Amino acid sequence: MAKEIERKFLVAGDAWRAGAAPGIAYRQGYLSAGSDAGCTVRVRLGGGRAYVTIKGPAAGAARDEYEYPIPPTDAAEMLERLCAGGTVEKVRHLVPFAGRTWELDEFGGENAPLVVAEVEIESADAAVKLPPWLGAEVTDDPRYTNAALARTPYSRWGRP
Amino acid sequence: MAKEIERKFLVAGDAWRAGAAPGIAYRQGYLSAGSDAGCTVRVRLGGGRAYVTIKGPAAGAARDEYEYPIPPTDAAEMLERLCAGGTVEKVRHLVPFAGRTWELDEFGGENAPLVVAEVEIESADAAVKLPPWLGAEVTDDPRYTNAALARTPYSRWGRP
């Protein structure tokens, strides 16, 4: 098991694009998102690879995480047949800043124009130098999880 | 993707044990069972191997099924940490009969003394010669799915 600890922020403006590597387009969906046990089971397809990822319940910024490679054809089928409830499309850019690699997710489809920045850290209280293009921190806002965005896309927020 | 088509029966008596190979003990749990999309994500550990198995919604006797081997240590952790809501313990015996292999699951723990027999078939209307030790067919009874038995064990049925 890996332990995933990360902080998540909104992104203000386009200044980050100057340092960004060309992105990889991902499509991902959820076979289970926050049901009984609070686990999330994600299928992700992108860059010619595919994974199934099992995440435990969130405990602050930390979550248990198990990830296994699977055949991309399986992932495409599962996204089509088993994730009909919602998928997320995004382009992920890697942006180095002050010795850390930030993952900037530029969402498409019904989640456009949302851009979210994440950084993985070694412990919940690790010191992180924040890039100037960051907006508000949303680590603890459950609306910004990808599983939540698959169910309730950003462009529909605030509508009944 | 594999297509899983199977029929399931209760078992009457112990006559089946005469033709049974020594069983393998399994422990399995569910990260997701019949949530939104109707998918089941199972973690199974037994015989020194472990798998994560993703099953689509049941359509009569048929279900989509994807299975991937995972490290047994991961499976043990997941069963302990992420499947707290319920696990199933059983010993699976393989019993040949009339050219087919029957899987007899002898449940333990709170599901004892339940024994269920399953046979995988090539199509929903395939001819199957039924062994004399079979009881009632329960293919369409959702209480007998392993996911349901993990949540509501056999020994608790009929109690409020």
Side-chain angles (χ1 to χ4, degrees):
Chain A
M1 173 192 55
K3 201 85 178 176
E4 184 192 50
I5 311 180
E6 58 188 21
R7 293 178 66 185
K8 188 184 292 191
F9 298 81
L10 297 181
V11 171
D14 276 334
W16 61 273
R17 292 187 193 274
I24 295 179
Y26 290 103
R27 186 171 169 226
Q28 60 193 45
Y30 296 84
L31 299 169
S32 156
S35 62
D36 313 357
C39 295
T40 298
V41 182
R42 180 185 74 198
V43 176
R44 174 183 277 178
L45 178 63
R49 299 185 187 182
Y51 298 89
V52 59
T53 307
I54 296 164
K55 299 188 185 197
R63 297 184 82 169
D64 292 351
E65 180 175 313
Y66 304 83
E67 186 159 76
Y68 308 105
I70 64 172
T73 49
D74 282 9
E77 270 186 10
M78 281 190 251
L79 287 168
E80 182 67 26
R81 296 167 64 95
L82 304 183
C83 300
T87 58
V88 159
E89 287 162 57
K90 63 186 183 183
V91 176
R92 170 161 287 185
H93 306 267
L94 300 182
V95 181
F97 183 84
R100 294 186 183 271
T101 298
W102 289 75
E103 297 175 340
L104 272 82
D105 286 344
E106 194 176 6
F107 289 88
E110 287 197 277
N111 282 302
L114 180 64
V115 182
V116 168
E118 287 181 0
V119 65
E120 196 156 338
I121 50 184
E122 53 284 4
S123 66
D125 58 355
V128 179
K129 189 163 183 202
L130 304 183
W133 34 259
L134 286 188
E137 179 158 9
V138 294
T139 302
D140 296 322
D141 188 332
R143 295 177 302 167
Y144 288 97
T145 64
N146 282 250
L149 292 169
R151 283 193 307 268
T152 310
Y154 183 67
S155 66
R156 284 194 237 149
W157 290 11
R159 298 190 202 167
Chain B
M1 173 190 59
K3 201 83 178 175
E4 185 193 50
I5 310 180
E6 57 187 24
R7 293 178 66 183
K8 187 184 293 190
F9 299 81
L10 298 181
V11 171
D14 277 332
W16 61 273
R17 293 186 191 274
I24 295 178
Y26 290 102
R27 187 171 169 226
Q28 60 193 46
Y30 297 83
L31 299 170
S32 156
S35 61
D36 313 355
C39 295
T40 298
V41 181
R42 180 185 74 199
V43 175
R44 174 183 280 179
L45 176 63
R49 297 182 189 184
Y51 298 89
V52 60
T53 307
I54 296 163
K55 298 188 184 198
R63 296 185 83 170
D64 293 350
E65 182 174 311
Y66 304 83
E67 187 159 77
Y68 308 105
I70 64 173
T73 49
D74 282 9
E77 270 186 9
M78 281 190 253
L79 288 167
E80 183 66 28
R81 297 168 63 94
L82 304 183
C83 300
T87 58
V88 160
E89 286 161 58
K90 62 186 183 182
V91 175
R92 171 161 286 185
H93 306 267
L94 300 182
V95 181
F97 183 84
R100 295 185 183 271
T101 298
W102 289 74
E103 296 175 342
L104 271 82
D105 285 344
E106 194 176 8
F107 289 88
E110 287 197 278
N111 282 301
L114 180 64
V115 181
V116 168
E118 287 181 358
V119 65
E120 195 156 340
I121 50 183
E122 54 284 3
S123 65
D125 57 355
V128 179
K129 190 163 183 200
L130 303 183
W133 33 259
L134 287 188
E137 178 159 10
V138 294
T139 303
D140 296 322
D141 188 333
R143 294 176 302 167
Y144 289 97
T145 65
N146 282 251
L149 292 170
R151 282 193 305 270
T152 310
Y154 183 68
S155 66
R156 284 195 239 149
W157 291 10
R159 296 190 205 166

